[in-house]
Amino acid sequence: MNDGWTPLEITPDGPATPEGLVERLRGLDVGDLLVREKALVFRGFGVTPETLDPVMDMLLPNRLAYVHGNSPRTKVGGNVYTSTEYPPEYTISMHNELSYSAAWPSRLLFFCEKAAETGGATPVVDGVRWLESLDDEVREAFAKGVRYTQNLHAGRGLGKSWQETFETEDRDQVAEFLDGIGADWQWRPDGGVRVSQIRPSTTRHPVTGAEVWFNQADQWHPASLGDETAAMLAELMPPEELPQSVTFPDGAPIPGDYVIQARDRGLDNAVDVDWRSGDLLLIDNVLVGHGRRPFTGSRRVLVAMSD
């Protein structure tokens, strides 16, 4: 269970308007506050999509594109995206954005344009607590890191295409990006690209030095799909041909119960941020993992990220 940590909620002490929030932010050292509190909820300021940009400019110093992202999203503005568009009946397990890549954002900002009829909370988990909750056997097994493999098709196939993933139609741009992050990669005869990276399973925060669980092995592992779906995919293609897969660095398989433990204990130790329309949630993407609870009705949450 969670040990008592929860995001800091900031509500109006002046004008309850988006302009009031911008003014409030001018008087805060958001960087220091975020490192100390790990996650901040801004509530009651009446932010709308039309008044969102000035607030984002204050909270995200350098808004980034979702390049190399593996979840389905729609770009709706200047490096602003819909949150993950998985079907509403599914839980999205805890993760740190782009932790499988060599480059990840340091901050994430979520904006609730419309709250769900029921459910739809964004759970957040303290990465130190998540790491400490795992059995010694699991932590030791992951000590040398993991190998992520992606098979990105050229327009037709399972998962995202390389064009969607890298937000370009230019193969040279893709090559430059992948070389820049030190990935092993190759173009496939069908026009797709295979990408492989060895990444650590934990990382340390650049300011606090805290060590946190920092990988997406459970989301890339067939065990997270459930026995029936995993068996169906195994009949269709070998593991190395799946849209995404994960092993230990030497190619040895990761036991399914290891990734299920990581998934479940992340969720067990999470705190739910229950959305109200107009809310914003700012998180430190190293110190805090996030996910999504199932929901009913229409829900629209936008996300942007910054280095």
Side-chain angles (χ1 to χ4, degrees):
M1 299 295 291
N2 179 264
D3 61 358
W5 171 80
T6 190
L8 176 67
E9 184 173 313
I10 297 175
T11 56
D13 61 1
T17 62
E19 294 78 14
L21 175 55
V22 169
E23 191 59 34
R24 178 83 174 271
L25 292 172
R26 289 196 179 102
L28 293 176
D29 187 328
V30 173
D32 284 352
L33 186 63
L34 186 61
V35 168
R36 185 169 70 247
E37 301 293 341
K38 305 176 184 177
L40 309 172
V41 176
F42 300 92
R43 174 165 287 159
F45 292 94
V47 179
T48 65
E50 294 73 27
T51 59
L52 181 59
D53 266 354
V55 177
M56 282 194 170
D57 290 344
M58 296 292 293
L59 295 174
L60 301 177
N62 181 32
R63 216 179 299 173
L64 301 174
Y66 186 56
V67 174
H68 203 192
N70 68 328
S71 66
R73 303 178 188 272
T74 301
K75 195 169 187 176
V76 297
N79 289 343
V80 179
Y81 302 80
T82 58
S83 59
T84 305
E85 295 172 353
Y86 283 117
E89 63 268 25
Y90 295 120
T91 296
I92 297 174
S93 61
M94 310 308 295
H95 60 285
N96 305 80
E97 204 64 47
L98 291 165
S99 61
Y100 53 83
S101 181
W104 59 79
S106 61
R107 296 182 187 181
L108 300 181
L109 179 67
F110 299 88
F111 166 68
C112 181
E113 181 177 341
K114 184 178 182 181
E117 184 176 326
T118 65
T122 293
V124 290
V125 64
D126 181 331
V128 173
R129 174 64 179 144
W130 190 3
L131 176 61
E132 291 174 346
S133 75
L134 301 176
D135 293 353
D136 290 345
E137 177 185 2
V138 173
R139 290 199 301 269
E140 290 167 6
F142 277 87
K144 293 183 179 179
V146 295
R147 178 187 293 274
Y148 300 101
T149 300
Q150 289 174 289
N151 291 297
L152 303 170
H153 60 79
R156 296 183 64 183
L158 292 174
K160 293 177 71 173
S161 69
W162 62 262
Q163 294 94 331
E164 294 173 303
T165 299
F166 298 107
E167 295 192 3
T168 182
E169 301 278 343
D170 189 331
R171 288 164 61 114
D172 290 340
Q173 286 187 24
V174 174
E176 182 179 359
F177 176 85
L178 292 174
D179 285 341
I181 64 172
D184 293 325
W185 62 275
Q186 60 182 21
W187 292 108
R188 310 298 301 280
D190 62 2
V193 62
R194 174 176 287 174
V195 182
S196 179
Q197 297 182 91
I198 296 175
R199 302 293 307 144
S201 61
T202 68
T203 194
R204 290 189 178 275
H205 191 270
V207 176
T208 70
E211 186 179 15
V212 298
W213 187 248
F214 197 76
N215 69 82
Q216 286 173 241
D218 73 289
Q219 292 189 339
W220 289 56
H221 197 288
S224 66
L225 301 172
D227 293 342
E228 185 176 334
T229 303
M232 181 184 67
L233 283 174
E235 290 182 4
L236 292 174
M237 60 186 69
E240 63 271 15
E241 296 296 331
L242 291 170
Q244 57 187 39
S245 60
V246 64
T247 65
F248 288 123
D250 61 0
I254 299 174
D257 58 335
Y258 285 7
V259 296
I260 295 304
Q261 180 183 129
R263 180 195 69 186
D264 291 349
R265 293 192 184 171
L267 286 164
D268 288 346
N269 285 281
V271 176
D272 283 353
V273 175
D274 293 308
W275 290 112
R276 304 174 195 172
S277 296
D279 284 355
L280 298 110
L281 167 65
L282 182 68
I283 67 174
D284 184 305
N285 186 46
V286 173
L287 294 174
V288 172
H290 67 280
R292 191 201 70 189
R293 303 292 186 186
F295 65 93
T296 64
S298 177
R299 173 189 186 269
R300 185 171 171 86
V301 174
L302 305 180
V303 63
M305 54 201 77
S306 171
D307 58 11

